[in-house]
Amino acid sequence: MIRLQQMWRTFTSRKWALYSALVVLAAEMLGSGVGCSPDSPLENVPDPGDVNCDVLESTYENFGARFFQDYCLRCHSLTLESDWDRTDAPQEIDFNTLGMAREFSDRIRLRAGALGDMPPRLLIVPRPDEEQRLQLIEWIDCGMPSEADSEGTG
């Protein structure tokens, strides 16, 4: 019985330490201006007409698929069924294929590119750097091309 009481005291003290740490972390984040949106907007977002698509080398295969894998599919994937697994990402917004991503190209351009609030800063996940975000914007502005498009099968 004494051993059980000792284990309970250890558990409750660790639980409160964890709660305290989370409260401090949340206060720090809110106090430092870190919120949900926008996290780090780009200073010079190109206008859609400013991109020279004739020299764009980015395709879905060499850029887009990897971008979505690295930064989006942790929450926006058909394989995630519960809101918990999706971190509350809307069920109907998934980027498993190029076609699915194209449906939300304007939203992706704004949120992951220009504003930089996707993925949310409050999640402990990798985030694209400014260069990747600019590349994303240019790729979207050129119609999110894929190698299949140039082969006439896309």
Side-chain angles (χ1 to χ4, degrees), residues 12-34:
T12 55
S13 66
R14 288 183 182 164
K15 179 176 68 173
W16 286 110
L18 176 61
Y19 288 150
S20 299
L22 289 174
V23 167
V24 169
L25 177 63
E28 284 293 318
M29 293 177 88
L30 292 173
S32 66
V34 173

Side-chain angles (χ1 to χ4, degrees), residues 134-149:
L134 286 169
Q135 185 177 2
L136 175 71
I137 290 170
E138 290 176 354
W139 178 64
I140 290 172
D141 289 350
C142 290
M144 301 172 89
S146 76
E147 292 170 8
D149 294 337

Side-chain angles (χ1 to χ4, degrees), residues 93-109:
I93 301 178
D94 296 307
F95 308 134
N96 295 80
T97 67
L98 176 58
M100 296 169 109
R102 281 178 171 163
E103 289 182 47
F104 297 98
S105 61
D106 291 341
R107 187 175 188 155
I108 295 167
R109 184 188 194 281

Side-chain angles (χ1 to χ4, degrees), residues 19 51 58 63 106 125 128 143 148:
Y19 288 150
V51 180
S58 300
F63 170 72
D106 291 341
V125 297

Side-chain angles (χ1 to χ4, degrees), residues 68 71-96 104 107-108 111 117-120 123 125:
F68 292 123
Y71 306 114
C72 307
L73 293 178
R74 282 179 183 81
C75 301
H76 296 281
S77 175
L78 287 172
T79 62
L80 304 172
E81 295 179 7
S82 74
D83 288 340
W84 176 263
D85 291 337
R86 295 177 65 87
T87 321
D88 286 330
Q91 291 287 340
E92 67 279 0
I93 301 178
D94 296 307
F95 308 134
N96 295 80
F104 297 98
R107 187 175 188 155
I108 295 167
R111 304 285 308 274
D117 65 351
M118 284 289 146
L123 297 179
V125 297

Side-chain angles (χ1 to χ4, degrees), residues 59-74:
T59 65
Y60 179 72
E61 292 78 9
N62 70 20
F63 170 72
R66 181 62 182 222
F67 186 94
F68 292 123
Q69 181 66 44
D70 290 348
Y71 306 114
C72 307
L73 293 178
R74 282 179 183 81

